[in-house]
């Protein structure tokens, strides 16, 4: 989001237009109007003291709506996650939740970054940094599948459903485990299968290619998966049998994908009546 003051030099106008912002963003906007770094720090200090702003962490601020008690106000967590690093992208289970496709509600929000992972806790919420996979870490948008969406008066950089599908299968611990990610992904009505396959191949992981292929094959009818979508994934599947679960949970071999799949996943036993 380009810093601006809505054609007004008022800091309050900036706060209204930017519910969550960084020190650098505010500084850039003020300096464009002829201010100084000293003025920037003075203004931030003034509005923090008055309760008009909250400091989420060093260099990151949230605007407090008028008439709201600052000690009780929680800024939108997706806006916060998007600003924790300059390259932050809301991802994994949090991206599914942003798109309304998460089976469970969490108080943990994940964001992708090229830097070392870090965790920030604020207002009882946990913001967890996850380092982007090495194969895409230095690529633009970490290999693609990143969009900017208006949200809660600001903008959120977030992984698409297509990328999120692949990401949680690549790192299932970031999706909440097999049942949670399976149930979440089954809430998705439609995906661009070409984008799913292209991003999967970009990751360069035979195991991920097999996991994605197996999942798509299980959902052929619902997502109109054709053999042409599966063929590139089959070419990248492991040459020898691999466990679906990194903990080497026993299961049944699915020869087409060379995957040993736990019975709970293969038969989706969580769907059985209690």
């Amino acid at each position: 989001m380009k810093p601006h003051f809505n054609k007004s030099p008022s800091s309050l106008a900036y706060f209204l237009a930017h519910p969550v912002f960084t020190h650098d963003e505010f500084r850039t906007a003020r300096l464009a109007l002829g201010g100084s770094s000293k003025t920037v720090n003075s203004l931030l200090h003034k509005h923090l003291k008055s309760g008009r702003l909250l400091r989420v962490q060093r260099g990151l601020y949230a605007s407090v709506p008028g008439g709201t008690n600052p000690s009780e106000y929680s800024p939108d967590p997706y806006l916060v996650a998007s600003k924790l690093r300059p390259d932050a992208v809301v991802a994994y289970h949090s991206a599914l939740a942003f798109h309304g496709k998460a089976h469970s509600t969490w108080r943990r929000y994940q964001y992708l970054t090229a830097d070392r992972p870090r965790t920030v806790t604020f207002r009882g919420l946990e913001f967890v940094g996850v380092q982007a996979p090495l194969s895409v870490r230095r690529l633009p948008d970490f290999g693609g599948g990143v969009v900017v969406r208006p949200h809660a008066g600001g903008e959120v950089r977030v992984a698409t459903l297509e990328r999120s599908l692949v990401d949680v299968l690549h790192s299932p611990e970031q999706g909440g485990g097999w049942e949670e990610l399976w149930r979440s992904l089954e809430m998705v009505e439609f995906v661009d299968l070409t984008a799913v396959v292209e991003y999967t191949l970009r990751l360069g992981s035979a195991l991920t290619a097999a996991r994605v292929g197996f999942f798509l094959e299980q959902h052929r009818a619902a997502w109109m998966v054709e053999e042409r979508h599966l063929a590139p994934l089959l070419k990248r599947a492991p040459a020898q049998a691999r466990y679906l679960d990194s903990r080497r949970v026993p299961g049944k071999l699915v020869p087409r994908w060379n995957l040993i799949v736990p019975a709970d996943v293969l038969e989706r036993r969580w769907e059985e009546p209690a």
Side-chain angles (χ1 to χ4, degrees):
M1 182 185 292
K2 186 177 179 180
H4 65 279
F5 280 83
N6 289 342
K7 301 181 180 180
S8 166
S10 166
S11 296
L12 293 179
Y14 183 89
F15 301 156
L16 286 172
H18 302 81
V20 178
F21 62 91
T22 67
H23 182 282
D24 287 345
E25 289 171 336
F26 185 70
R27 180 177 180 273
T28 298
R30 291 301 309 189
L31 294 184
L33 295 172
S36 66
S37 294
K38 184 177 180 180
T39 302
V40 168
N41 293 333
S42 176
L43 284 169
L44 290 173
H45 178 74
K46 169 188 171 183
H47 290 291
L48 282 168
K49 190 175 180 180
S50 72
R52 187 62 182 81
L53 293 181
L54 283 177
R55 181 184 282 113
V56 178
Q57 68 164 9
R58 184 176 180 181
L60 182 62
Y61 304 90
S63 305
V64 180
T68 302
N69 185 338
S71 65
E72 298 176 355
Y73 177 66
S74 293
D76 182 86
Y78 297 107
L79 294 180
V80 171
S82 289
K83 296 289 187 180
L84 285 169
R85 301 295 301 170
D87 61 354
V89 176
V90 175
Y92 299 104
H93 189 273
S94 296
L96 293 174
F98 179 86
H99 293 298
K101 305 303 178 184
H103 175 65
S104 300
T105 301
W106 291 4
R107 296 183 66 79
R108 183 168 79 250
Y109 294 83
Q110 303 138 307
Y111 65 95
L112 273 175
T113 176
D115 297 325
R116 289 183 178 182
R118 61 178 303 184
T119 298
V120 174
T121 301
F122 185 75
R123 294 289 197 259
L125 302 178
E126 190 177 38
F127 298 90
V128 180
V130 181
Q131 197 166 34
L134 183 60
S135 55
V136 297
R137 192 173 300 161
R138 301 302 172 190
L139 297 179
D141 285 338
F142 303 129
V146 175
V147 293
V148 177
R149 293 286 182 261
H151 177 75
E155 291 180 338
V156 173
R157 289 187 74 217
V158 60
T160 61
L161 283 173
E162 287 78 9
R163 177 178 182 134
S164 300
L165 181 157
V166 179
D167 279 343
V168 295
L169 288 169
H170 181 70
S171 301
E173 70 280 3
Q174 301 296 343
W178 299 113
E179 178 179 351
E180 174 65 21
L181 73 84
W182 232 258
R183 284 179 177 269
S184 296
L185 294 177
E186 287 176 343
M187 295 172 67
V188 178
E189 295 88 3
F190 170 83
V191 291
D192 180 339
L193 293 169
T194 299
V196 168
V197 172
E198 287 178 351
Y199 176 63
T200 303
L201 300 180
R202 206 165 289 140
L203 286 174
S205 166
L207 179 56
T208 299
R211 285 171 172 170
V212 172
F214 172 70
F215 183 89
L216 293 181
E217 195 161 56
Q218 271 207 335
H219 298 82
R220 270 183 181 271
W223 287 357
M224 296 179 287
V225 179
E226 300 176 9
E227 198 61 28
R228 64 186 177 89
H229 300 120
L230 301 176
L233 301 175
L234 282 166
K235 288 181 181 179
R236 295 290 185 92
Q240 297 184 0
R242 299 280 300 274
Y243 286 90
L244 175 78
D245 195 294
S246 60
R247 297 168 299 175
R248 301 172 70 88
V249 175
K252 181 179 179 181
L253 176 66
V254 180
R256 181 163 155 89
W257 298 104
N258 255 337
L259 274 183
I260 300 171
V261 182
D264 286 354
V265 178
L266 189 62
E267 301 168 14
R268 297 204 284 270
R269 288 183 178 173
W270 51 78
E271 295 178 353
E272 295 176 1

